Amino acid sequence: MARVLAVDVGGTSFKAALVESDGAMQVWESEPTGGALGEAAYLRLASYIGRILGEIVGEAPSALGLIAPGMDERNGQVIFAANLGWRDFPLGARLRAAFGLAVAAGHDVRTAGLAESLLGAARGEQDAAMIMIGTGIAAAFLCNGQAVSGARQMACEIGHAPVYPEGEACACGQFGCLETYASAAAIARRYRAAGGTEALSAAEISRRLGADPVAARVWGEAVEALSIACATVTLMLDPAVIVIGGGLAEAEEVLLSPLGAALARRLAWRSPPPLKRTSLGARGALLGAAILAFRSQGLGIAEMVAAAGPIA
Ligand SMILES: [Zn+2]
């Protein structure tokens, strides 16, 4: 049975899993980046991968599926990753040379979206959107069965779509971006700024909605901002489903139910697509990286799709 090593390079930690062709995964403990930047971040990652390759029992993986923020899928270069201090960094080529393994590279959110469309909540759909809401917000769009990456590999940055022109300042330099109102980090920050009694995470704020008017207001504003973005996505792309992932998706119906209602209100002449929570969760990115690696070796993923079971 063929196997590949999937590596998810995140802004704060590295994760890896050995993935078999039926999707079975052996996941390694993640490794914090420790704030390392540039070459130091690369050396830390290479040491993590080297240790894992040494610990693998049995047949060696035939390829490495690599995902990172800001990744250019065509050449394995990281265009820009602020948290890792990489700009035009040849990550794929460096790892290929270091370990003698074929490397298939993907953009983190687009690759998670690919997995969701083949194995997860958008399984079987040719047109779908996935919005990942965590510290930031990014999206993956599937159109006619193809992931949209754009002319410069910079598509899907929905977190910086303006929802309130002249609104609050965003770290990107613009004003009124979706991410400024609706990311988990923004919800926590805005709750505190609005007079929230203590520093709480977005998850904690979501559990106070009935009892804390500041929590209810900030959460409601995040839902409104998301509904504007989801309405735009719906009108542009007509997705069969919008899958919501990332840390904020753990709020489940506390998020999806008011968001679905707000989206329906914003679409006067057509019905809204259903909103679903990701079914792969954090495993989606690693499974997506593995799919890229299998495909790069000319191997299909039929076994993995069969193991995922029928469409719910
Ligand atoms: Zn922005």
Side-chain angles (χ1 to χ4, degrees):
M1 188 185 275
R3 48 196 348 209
V4 297
L5 184 66
V7 177
D8 178 359
V9 180
T12 56
S13 69
F14 309 129
K15 301 184 192 77
L18 185 67
V19 183
E20 312 284 344
S21 52
D22 63 357
M25 295 172 95
Q26 180 188 352
V27 182
W28 266 262
E29 195 174 329
S30 65
E31 167 94 359
T33 64
L37 294 172
E39 185 67 15
Y42 168 76
L43 291 174
R44 203 168 170 119
L45 172 64
S47 141
Y48 176 64
I49 294 173
R51 177 168 64 76
I52 288 169
L53 287 171
E55 287 172 6
I56 288 173
V57 177
E59 193 187 333
S62 58
L64 196 158
L66 173 71
I67 57 171
M71 176 66 87
D72 184 335
E73 284 137 2
R74 298 166 302 185
N75 56 19
Q77 287 221 97
V78 176
I79 301 167
F80 181 60
N83 291 324
L84 294 156
W86 291 338
R87 189 181 281 279
D88 299 325
F89 190 83
L91 183 61
R94 292 283 302 271
L95 291 175
R96 191 179 305 122
F99 299 108
L101 269 176
V103 174
H107 179 276
D108 53 356
V109 178
R110 287 200 289 270
T111 304
L114 173 71
E116 207 68 49
S117 72
L118 293 169
L119 309 170
R123 190 149 85 252
E125 302 297 354
Q126 293 292 299
D127 294 273
M130 174 167 158
I131 303 180
M132 296 283 278
I133 312 170
T135 313
I137 301 180
F141 302 128
L142 192 75
C143 292
N144 286 326
Q146 298 291 319
V148 173
S149 50
R152 298 182 199 173
Q153 304 279 304
M154 291 163 83
C156 309
E157 295 292 352
I158 198 171
H160 301 288
V163 291
Y164 297 122
E166 320 308 324
E168 294 179 15
C170 176
C172 78
Q174 280 297 336
F175 294 87
C177 298
L178 173 63
E179 192 167 295
T180 315
Y181 294 87
S183 70
I187 290 169
R189 175 181 51 73
R190 298 188 78 243
Y191 174 78
R192 199 82 178 105
T197 45
E198 51 190 310
L200 297 177
S201 70
E204 290 165 333
I205 291 165
S206 76
R207 291 193 283 271
R208 287 201 177 190
L209 298 184
D212 179 341
V214 177
R217 196 179 94 216
V218 168
W219 191 264
E221 287 166 354
V223 166
E224 280 306 311
L226 281 167
S227 75
I228 294 171
C230 287
T232 305
V233 166
T234 300
L235 293 165
M236 292 284 161
L237 301 172
D238 187 24
V241 57
I242 298 180
V243 178
I244 307 287
L248 211 65
E250 284 162 26
E252 302 207 33
E253 285 313 304
V254 173
L255 175 68
L256 296 189
S257 168
L259 180 55
L263 175 58
R265 277 199 308 276
R266 290 194 179 278
L267 296 170
W269 53 269
R270 59 154 293 165
S271 58
L275 304 178
K276 287 189 191 173
R277 187 189 167 186
T278 163
S279 67
L280 301 175
R283 290 185 319 134
L286 286 167
L287 279 169
I291 290 168
L292 297 180
F294 281 120
R295 284 180 168 175
S296 76
Q297 298 298 294
L299 300 166
I301 57 154
E303 252 186 287
M304 220 187 266
V305 172
I311 297 161

